[in-house]
Each structure stands twice: as structure tokens, then as C-alpha cells.
Amino acid sequence: MESSQLHSVDSVQVKELEKPDPPTASAVSHQSLEEPKEHAITAPLVQKVEDSGGNKDAELARVVSEKRLALIKAWEESEKTKAENRAYKKLSAVGLWESKKKASVEAQLKIIEENLERKKAEYAEKMKNKIADIHRSAEEKRAMVEAQKREEFIELEETAAKFRSSGRTPAKFFACFKA
């Protein structure tokens, strides 16, 4: 917008400057080769060059060349800035995409870890229950063995009491002593 405003302001100034003193033929030939936008910008410079009184064609060529180089440099800087801004936007988008994907993967990992912890706890509970069942079965078997032992002791005591009361000796136990 600023450049278009400059063009319009310069063209108004150019028209005012051109009315009193039209440019020379050599200045017109240089100006006719340029684009209309450049003509609007260089016209005040042409007027100043003519007023200086030196070698007008050389001065005009130098001024036009400097102006052209300045415009090219400004365009180059503008394009570099645009390219930099595009690259920054793209890099920001890539960074955002990366952080989004990382967060998604980390969330999945956390869910998997929670599931593994839950399964581990379930398996640990199952194993503890199995251990408790084994312990309970072992206690029952111990109790059965103890009960059998007590029954055998009671039975042996009754048999021993019978042998004592009858005065006989058990045949199986003392079979090796019988002759």
C-alpha cells in the first residue's frame, strides 16, 4: 500500500515539475524504455539532475541504475522475508504435529502401562489365591494325617491294652524273636 501511495504522490509531483520544464530528448528516450511505475518515481530525480547542470545523460543513467538496484534489493529482501515467514510457519506446523503425535503415543503408552499394571495386579491376586488354596489344602492334608495318626495311636493303644490284659505278645512284631 505504501508503494502505491508513493507512486501516486510522486506522479502528482512529477506532473507539477514537468509542466514548467519538459525533459530533454535523451531523458525521454531513457524514460520510454522504463515501465510506467518507474517513470513516476524517477521523474523528480530527472528534474533534479537537470537542475544540477552536469553531464545530464550520465547522471540520469546513474540515478536510474541506482534506483533500479535499490528496487531489486528491496524486492529481494521482501522475498527473503516472505520465504523466511513461510519456512517458520511450516516449521511451527511440523513442531506442532510432532508434539501432538508424541502426546498421542505417550497417552497410548500410559494406557498400555496401566493395563499391564492392572493385569499384573490381577495375576498377582490370582497367584496369591492359588498360594492360599495350596496352603489350605496342605493344612487340610496335615489335619487328615494328624487325625489318622491319632486314630492309629488310639487303635494301637486298644490293641496293646488287649495284649496286656490277655498276656499274649503280638505275632507280627515279635516274629523275628520266635524260635
Side-chain angles (χ1 to χ4, degrees), residues 146-161:
E146 287 293 323
Q148 268 183 334
K149 182 174 102 176
R150 279 192 301 265
E151 286 177 13
E152 285 180 14
F153 279 179
I154 293 172
E155 194 175 300
L156 285 173
E157 286 177 1
E158 289 176 359
T159 308

Side-chain angles (χ1 to χ4, degrees), residues 33-173:
L33 295 176
E34 299 174 1
E35 296 178 7
K37 289 181 182 177
E38 291 178 355
H39 173 61
I41 294 173
T42 59
L45 298 175
V46 171
Q47 185 66 30
K48 290 178 185 175
V49 169
E50 288 176 3
D51 291 342
S52 68
N55 187 358
K56 293 179 185 177
D57 289 337
E59 288 281 322
L60 180 63
R62 184 183 58 79
V63 169
V64 168
S65 176
E66 286 177 4
K67 185 197 103 214
R68 188 175 292 132
L69 291 175
L71 287 174
I72 290 171
K73 186 173 183 172
W75 172 84
E76 181 184 14
E77 292 298 321
S78 172
E79 292 300 313
K80 283 181 179 179
T81 303
K82 287 178 188 177
E84 235 176 62
N85 290 340
R86 279 192 301 268
Y88 179 77
K89 258 179 142 178
K90 288 179 182 179
L91 288 174
S92 296
V94 168
L96 182 64
W97 174 83
E98 179 186 21
S99 61
K100 197 176 189 183
K101 291 296 183 177
K102 279 183 179 179
S104 174
V105 169
E106 287 172 359
Q108 288 176 349
L109 179 64
K110 188 173 182 179
I111 289 171
I112 290 171
E113 286 175 348
E114 288 173 357
N115 286 340
L116 288 174
E117 288 295 322
R118 184 180 42 81
K119 285 182 180 180
K120 182 180 175 182
E122 287 174 3
Y123 286 135
E125 187 67 27
K126 283 181 183 179
M127 295 301 127
K128 287 179 183 176
N129 289 343
K130 282 185 179 181
I131 290 171
D133 286 343
I134 291 169
H135 183 68
R136 196 173 317 118
S137 296
E139 288 296 320
E140 289 174 1
K141 289 182 179 185
R142 283 187 193 104
M144 288 175 59
V145 169
E146 287 293 323
Q148 268 183 334
K149 182 174 102 176
R150 279 192 301 265
E151 286 177 13
E152 285 180 14
F153 279 179
I154 293 172
E155 194 175 300
L156 285 173
E157 286 177 1
E158 289 176 359
T159 308
K162 282 184 190 177
F163 283 127
R164 280 188 203 111
S165 65
S166 67
R168 291 181 312 141
T169 58
K172 289 182 182 175
F173 186 69

Side-chain angles (χ1 to χ4, degrees), residues 12-22 43-45 47-48:
V12 170
Q13 291 173 351
V14 169
K15 288 178 184 176
E16 290 174 4
L17 292 174
E18 288 178 357
K19 286 181 185 176
D21 189 22
L45 298 175
Q47 185 66 30
K48 290 178 185 175

